[in-house]
Amino acid sequence: MAATMKDIAKKTGLGLATVSSYFNGGNVREKNRAKIEVAIRELDFEVNEVARGLKTNTTRTIGVVIPELNNVFCSEIITAMEDVLRSHGYATMICDCRTDRRLEREAVEFLMRRRVDGIVNMPVDTSGAHLESFLKSGRPVVLIDRKIRALNCDCVFVDNLTAARNAVSGLIRNGHRRIGIISGPEDVFTAQERLKGYRQMLQESGIEIDERLIFRGDYTMESGVRGLEHLVQENPDMTAVFATNYELTMGAVIGANEVGIRIPEALSVIGFDNLPFARACHPKLTIVTQPTAEIGRQVAEIILERLSNGTGSCANQAGNEPIYRKLQTKVVEGNSVRRL
């Protein structure tokens, strides 16, 4: 006869309410959690997830929709997020939409059919239309990295404006005045904030903004290559460039190599994200780093909080304000910036 929760309670000496809380993702003391997990193994206890889902109208599953699974920024966040969710009895279902709005919408529709309890999304569609139906169902959505002003939902992101200001400030302190930027798509919140920070720091330093020094890419490595080559061709007097995400940084370094530009002798470079890549470069890149593990933990904590208190989607819960968590970046110094 299959073991029951009552059997686990009897074996551990814990109350049935504590055992039930464990299986439902509630707060359980670590020593009690350890006792329960030992009993589960010894009794060969198996949870009937289908039956529990029908009874509770939950699936203990969080859907995750990201632009690119091979993006280091995304993968590091997912790893940290999964650790927290798993410890509370939740699984994740990850969908890679290949930075395609149609595929992103299809992924959300697929997750809705799978009856996930919540969705975490690094949005490609900046209108937010792909999430409206899910939000109307009262289930929580947490956005990563990119706020959507039309949606009243929770978001975890970094202070992108300050991140860009700090990067550009470092170049200016080293005597650079002709500073190029390889930016992201115009309609993406992250790209808007980083470009705004670039402009602000130049203006505050008394440096005239030259639109020829601004290249708007699409957050791909190929775009970084094109951006570097375009900026060098159009601005032979450019002494430094700021690449504003990981793919653009990789592309800029590749572009510099293909054009035959030596870093930092001929061009100083500051990039974004992925410390291992920065260390592998020669010379070691100066980069802006984001706290990916902390982003993942905060995303998981917010969605668990929404699920535990039943507030669900901010958009349709009266008096329920969205949660915005803005984290700070830091500049990790390398050898890719030359002092003029």
Side-chain angles (χ1 to χ4, degrees):
M1 186 174 180
T4 67
M5 284 199 291
K6 287 183 180 179
D7 295 324
I8 292 177
K10 184 177 179 180
K11 188 169 185 63
T12 59
L14 300 172
L16 188 58
T18 301
V19 176
S20 177
S21 180
Y22 169 86
F23 285 110
N24 288 301
N27 292 322
V28 177
R29 291 180 181 177
E30 192 57 39
K31 64 177 183 179
N32 292 339
R33 182 183 296 276
K35 287 181 182 178
I36 293 169
E37 289 173 354
V38 169
I40 288 171
R41 290 193 295 271
E42 291 180 354
L43 296 171
D44 290 326
F45 179 83
E46 292 185 6
V47 179
N48 188 330
E49 296 289 355
V50 174
R52 183 170 69 177
L54 291 171
K55 182 179 179 181
T56 63
N57 196 31
T58 62
T59 60
R60 311 290 296 174
T61 305
I62 304 300
V64 183
V65 184
I66 55 173
E68 299 286 345
L69 188 56
N70 61 0
N71 181 300
V72 174
F73 177 68
C74 293
S75 61
E76 289 180 352
I77 290 174
I78 290 171
T79 298
M81 181 178 66
E82 277 193 314
D83 287 343
V84 177
L85 292 174
R86 191 182 300 113
S87 71
H88 286 78
Y90 282 86
T92 55
M93 190 175 295
I94 300 167
C95 299
D96 179 347
C97 71
R98 312 291 198 279
T99 316
D100 184 304
R101 295 186 182 192
R102 179 182 58 81
L103 292 178
E104 183 177 53
R105 183 181 68 253
E106 291 177 358
V108 172
E109 291 171 352
F110 166 78
L111 293 171
M112 289 181 68
R113 291 194 297 273
R114 292 286 178 168
R115 299 174 56 248
V116 296
D117 298 332
I119 286 180
V120 173
N121 181 209
M122 184 183 294
V124 175
D125 185 347
T126 55
S127 74
H130 62 297
L131 293 168
E132 288 176 354
S133 294
F134 191 85
L135 285 166
K136 287 177 182 176
S137 72
R139 288 169 287 179
V141 170
V142 181
L143 302 180
I144 302 175
D145 191 51
R146 305 169 185 179
K147 284 168 61 178
I148 297 178
R149 293 184 173 89
L151 294 182
N152 194 27
C153 59
D154 305 326
C155 185
V156 180
F157 55 99
V158 300
D159 187 346
N160 290 288
L161 188 144
T162 300
R165 286 174 57 90
N166 290 342
V168 176
S169 175
L171 292 170
I172 293 171
R173 285 198 307 273
N174 279 283
H176 295 274
R177 294 295 181 270
R178 297 290 292 168
I179 301 169
I181 181 171
I182 306 176
S183 185
E186 290 185 67
D187 61 344
V188 174
F189 172 78
T190 305
Q192 294 169 358
E193 291 291 289
R194 291 174 189 174
L195 183 56
K196 184 178 178 181
Y198 164 85
R199 291 179 180 274
Q200 278 189 4
M201 186 49 62
L202 290 180
Q203 288 176 330
E204 291 176 16
S205 302
I207 301 173
E208 184 177 352
I209 295 172
D210 186 344
E211 295 295 328
R212 292 174 300 175
L213 287 165
I214 299 173
F215 179 87
R216 291 179 175 84
D218 58 7
Y219 278 165
T220 63
M221 188 170 64
E222 293 75 16
S223 183
V225 174
R226 293 196 310 271
L228 189 285
E229 292 175 348
H230 173 82
L231 289 174
V232 168
Q233 184 176 355
E234 295 294 316
N235 306 278
D237 58 344
M238 181 178 70
T239 62
V241 67
F242 172 38
T244 56
N245 90 327
Y246 168 56
E247 284 82 3
L248 294 177
T249 299
M250 286 187 66
V253 172
I254 292 170
N257 289 337
E258 291 182 348
V259 174
I261 292 176
R262 290 179 60 83
I263 301 173
E265 291 84 355
L267 184 69
S268 293
V269 175
I270 290 185
F272 224 98
D273 284 334
N274 199 335
L275 188 57
F277 171 73
R279 293 174 63 186
C281 289
H282 182 74
K284 176 184 174 183
L285 286 183
T286 295
I287 58 166
V288 178
T289 62
Q290 302 187 76
T292 50
E294 184 60 24
I295 292 171
R297 285 191 290 268
Q298 299 247 4
V299 167
E301 288 170 5
I302 290 173
I303 209 156
L304 288 170
E305 178 184 337
R306 293 297 187 194
L307 291 168
S308 65
N309 63 26
T311 55
S313 148
C314 296
N316 61 351
Q317 298 288 334
N320 190 29
E321 292 297 319
I323 299 171
Y324 294 142
R325 300 270 172 87
K326 184 187 288 188
L327 308 180
Q328 295 302 314
T329 62
K330 63 179 181 179
V331 177
V332 177
E333 297 292 342
N335 301 309
S336 60
V337 176
R338 181 170 72 98
R339 187 170 188 83
L340 298 184

